[in-house]
Amino acid sequence: MALTKEATAAVIAKFGDKEGDTGNTKVQIALLTDRIIQLTAHSKNFPKDKSSKRSLMKVVGARRKLLKYYERTNLEGYRSLIKELGIRK
């Protein structure tokens, strides 16, 4: 199940600099984090669903790459983002 338009718009409003700012690294990481939460819950309910587990691993890898990029380019922003999202450490 994908994110709803309302949930996506709320994440963009919270993490984006302006309306419709979907290319911002913070917004992309936040959207991927929401997707990871949904896929994790789905995997717990349906443990034999191998395609959703594969999708989860792909999304985690994409978020990891974005986080590494954001850490390299904006360290203070990276630290505040992971604290706000509740990921890592």
Side-chain angles (χ1 to χ4, degrees):
M1 183 163 119
L3 291 172
T4 62
K5 287 184 180 182
E6 294 81 21
T8 303
V11 170
I12 292 170
K14 184 175 181 182
F15 292 99
D17 294 335
K18 59 183 187 238
E19 186 178 332
D21 190 15
T22 57
N24 192 337
T25 308
K26 292 189 321 187
V27 173
Q28 289 181 15
I29 293 170
L31 287 172
L32 288 174
T33 301
D34 285 350
R35 185 73 178 134
I36 288 169
I37 291 168
Q38 285 184 346
L39 284 171
T40 303
H42 177 83
S43 293
K44 287 180 182 177
N45 290 336
F46 303 98
K48 292 185 178 183
D49 188 1
K50 303 300 181 194
S51 64
S52 70
K53 286 184 182 180
R54 183 176 188 274
S55 298
L56 175 62
M57 291 297 109
K58 286 178 74 172
V59 173
V60 168
R63 184 181 73 174
R64 185 182 315 127
K65 288 178 187 178
L66 282 170
L67 282 169
K68 285 172 74 174
Y69 166 76
Y70 198 52
E71 181 182 22
R72 207 173 50 239
T73 57
N74 185 359
L75 187 60
E76 289 304 314
Y78 166 79
R79 288 179 179 158
S80 65
L81 181 66
I82 60 171
K83 186 176 288 188
E84 191 171 350
L85 291 174
I87 54 177
R88 294 200 184 163
K89 302 170 188 163

